[in-house]
């Protein structure tokens, strides 16, 4: 049965792709987003692709009255909770903002959900909670580590809050999804990742070097104990990740309590492999220099994704070449992200 789903942070990178997937699957979608790291243009384009629009509420998950009114306005069966801040470096400079948005925000949301009698929740967590993994691939039963930054700690705190909530009341059904490294864009090139300022993550940085917005990539360390000395990560296409949320929603219908699932491709690529794959997709060269290791980085991190396959019936459909082709299509069609479209609107 199709239902009404609230998506917090639905205008953002992963949220917009998931909003599209839900609309295409026939669900009614309400997006709540304060647009602190996104623009409405993403949802305009989602509507264009889906042939219908999600409802949009501009506001903050920390606003208890707003949440109450959203839940009172229409019956919502489940919440996908993406809203939060995600920049590791910024979190060390503004820890309170991270605890407010990521921990208090999650608390406020759960409070409002419980008050409204809504108990199905899918939470965006991160592989960062594993800290420095003692072995790879990382299974969900690996102990969580000690995150090295306030962002990681805020995700771990939110997970612990949800564990306690699920233990306290068996009406709650919660899926904690630990994402590995989301990359790529919708194959249409209409929606994608639109970082503000200089990107922190590898693929957006490479893309901006390729279009000439940034001079060169700094490869953070080539002396790790990995096959080519550079860091290895589990990159997952954002469309596969979005589909994982649909499978998790379905799983909540059949299983009580809280479950934790890794969403990753189950294999790792090095920074050098990523550069080469991007160059192949774009036909451009990506100049780079070797820089010192970045503080807090681990050598290698990839998922054992077997649990999600077995229990959610989910696996990845996209290869590295798809990630690169789609990232490049998005970047080349939208060199200034969604701002290109806003500028056009202003000119018209
Ligand atoms: P994003 O910044 O593109 O999307 C987050 C959205 O939440 C934005 O649209 C932002 O405006 C909104 N938002 C932030 N604080 C809010 C608040 N208080 N109230 C309402 N809206 C708010 O980020 P994303 O990459 O789409 O990430 C989505 C979620 O996935 C985040 O929780 C993030 O921590 C998690 N995650 C992301 C990655 C990644 O590499 N992208 C990896 C692991 C986990
Ligand atoms: N890297 C570079 N140069 C750059 C950026 C990154 O060499 O300019 C390297 C990093 O050292 C690392 C790899 O590219 O080896 C990937 O780095 P990202 O910053 O893209 O991703 P991380 O694995 O460091 O972190 C990401 C998210 C976190 C999340 C984590 C696990 O940014 O929020 O994945 O899911 F917690």
């Amino acid at each position: 049965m199709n239902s009404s789903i609230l998506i917090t942070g639905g205008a953002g990178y992963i949220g917009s792709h998931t909003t599209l997937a839900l609309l295409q699957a026939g669900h009614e979608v309400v997006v709540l987003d304060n647009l602190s790291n996104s623009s409405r243009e993403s949802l305009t384009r989602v509507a264009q692709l889906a042939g219908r629009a999600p409802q949009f509420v501009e506001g903050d998950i920390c606003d208890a009255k707003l949440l109450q009114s959203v839940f009172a306005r229409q019956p919502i069966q489940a919440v996908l909770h993406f809203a939060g801040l995600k920049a590791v470096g910024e979190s060390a400079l503004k820890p309170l903002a991270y605890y407010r948005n990521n921990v208090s925000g999650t608390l406020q949301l759960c409070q409002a959900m419980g008050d409204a009698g809504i108990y199905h929740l899918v939470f965006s967590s991160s592989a960062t909670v594993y800290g420095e993994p003692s072995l790879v691939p990382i299974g969900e039963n690996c102990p969580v580590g000690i995150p090295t930054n306030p962002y990681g700690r805020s995700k771990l705190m939110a997970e612990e809050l949800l564990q306690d909530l699920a233990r306290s009341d068996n009406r709650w059904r919660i899926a904690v999804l630990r994402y590995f490294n989301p990359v790529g864009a919708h194959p249409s090139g209409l929606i994608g990742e639109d970082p503000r300022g200089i990107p922190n993550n590898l693929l957006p940085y490479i893309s901006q070097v390729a279009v000439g917005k940034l001079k060169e990539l700094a490869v953070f360390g080539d002396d790790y104990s990995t096959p080519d000395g550079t860091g290895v990560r589990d990159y997952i296409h954002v469309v596969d990740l979005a589909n994982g949320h649909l499978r998790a929603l379905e799983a909540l219908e059949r299983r009580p309590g809280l479950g934790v699932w890794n969403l990753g491709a189950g294999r790792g690529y090095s920074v050098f492999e990523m550069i080469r794959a991007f160059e192949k997709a774009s036909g451009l060269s990506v100049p780079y220099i070797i820089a010192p290791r970045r503080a807090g980085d681990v050598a290698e991190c990839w998922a054992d994704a077997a649990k999600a396959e077995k229990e959610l019936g989910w696996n990845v459909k996209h290869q590295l070449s798809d990630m690169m082709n789609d990232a490049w299509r998005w970047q080349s069609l939208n060199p200034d992200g969604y701002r290109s479209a806003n500028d056009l609107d202003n000119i018209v």
Side-chain angles (χ1 to χ4, degrees):
M1 193 189 73
N2 292 332
S3 12
S4 288
I5 313 291
L6 175 69
I7 307 196
T8 74
Y13 172 44
I14 307 167
S16 57
H17 288 80
T18 309
T19 299
L20 175 61
L22 283 171
L23 288 170
Q24 287 175 331
H27 296 285
E28 296 303 319
V29 179
V30 181
V31 168
L32 171 65
D33 199 303
N34 65 5
L35 302 180
S36 60
N37 196 38
S38 53
S39 80
R40 283 197 72 154
E41 178 64 19
S42 64
L43 295 178
T44 304
R45 297 193 186 183
V46 163
Q48 195 180 328
L49 288 165
R52 66 197 179 98
Q55 276 186 57
F56 177 65
V57 179
E58 184 171 346
D60 199 296
I61 52 165
C62 299
D63 182 343
K65 281 212 169 72
L66 177 70
L67 289 173
Q68 199 183 14
S69 77
V70 169
F71 291 135
R73 219 178 293 159
Q74 66 234 290
I76 302 272
Q77 279 81 36
V79 178
L80 301 188
H81 178 31
F82 295 95
L85 303 181
K86 63 166 183 176
V88 170
E90 183 191 59
S91 76
L93 302 172
K94 299 180 180 170
L96 296 185
Y98 277 70
Y99 292 121
R100 173 181 178 276
N101 283 276
N102 298 1
V103 185
S104 293
T106 302
L107 188 153
Q108 291 287 359
L109 177 68
C110 292
Q111 181 70 55
M113 286 176 65
D115 291 346
I118 302 160
Y119 296 102
H120 288 200
L121 174 67
V122 179
F123 175 65
S124 299
S125 189
S126 166
T128 196
V129 300
Y130 293 114
E132 173 101 50
S134 49
L135 85 171
V136 280
I138 305 172
E140 292 83 349
N141 55 1
C142 284
V144 291
I146 303 166
T148 53
N149 55 74
Y151 167 71
R153 280 191 280 279
S154 75
K155 285 288 166 189
L156 195 52
M157 284 181 193
E159 279 201 13
E160 284 167 350
L161 180 163
L162 295 175
Q163 298 270 8
D164 285 336
L165 186 61
R167 267 185 227 116
S168 74
D169 182 337
N170 62 16
R171 287 174 295 181
W172 283 96
R173 292 176 176 221
I174 300 175
V176 170
L177 303 182
R178 292 179 179 157
Y179 312 156
F180 281 68
N181 289 57
V183 294
H186 190 265
S188 63
L190 278 180
I191 57 172
E193 185 169 14
D194 184 18
R196 295 191 171 173
I198 295 178
N200 299 304
N201 296 114
L202 180 65
L203 196 50
Y205 204 105
I206 289 179
S207 308
Q208 295 199 10
V209 169
V211 290
K213 289 176 79 175
L214 296 169
K215 185 167 158 258
E216 62 199 4
L217 172 74
V219 175
F220 297 141
D222 67 349
D223 56 352
Y224 285 105
S225 57
T226 58
D228 66 19
T230 65
V232 171
R233 296 290 184 277
D234 184 333
Y235 297 94
I236 171 173
H237 195 293
V238 66
V239 170
D240 283 329
L241 187 58
N243 287 330
H245 293 74
L246 269 72
R247 301 289 86 79
L249 266 182
E250 290 158 10
L252 294 185
E253 297 291 330
R254 20 175 226 276
R255 44 174 300 146
L258 179 143
V260 176
W261 292 278
N262 285 339
L263 295 186
R267 69 153 294 178
Y269 289 100
S270 73
V271 176
F272 285 154
E273 286 176 307
M274 294 295 281
I275 295 173
R276 280 197 297 274
F278 187 88
E279 288 181 331
K280 191 169 174 211
S282 65
L284 299 171
S285 78
V286 177
Y288 66 85
I289 52 157
I290 304 298
R293 293 182 179 191
R294 183 171 65 179
D297 272 358
V298 298
E300 49 186 3
C301 170
W302 72 88
D304 178 344
K307 186 169 184 261
E309 173 149 23
K310 183 163 174 256
E311 296 179 359
L312 305 181
W314 171 87
N315 54 29
V316 297
K317 307 281 185 226
H318 294 82
Q319 310 300 319
L320 185 63
S321 56
D322 303 315
M323 302 179 206
M324 295 302 174
N325 288 330
D326 293 338
W328 174 236
R329 190 176 302 107
W330 158 254
Q331 177 67 57
S332 46
L333 290 175
N334 308 270
D336 292 316
Y338 294 115
R339 281 168 296 286
S340 327
N342 295 338
D343 293 347
L344 281 180
D345 288 349
N346 292 338
I347 292 164
V348 173

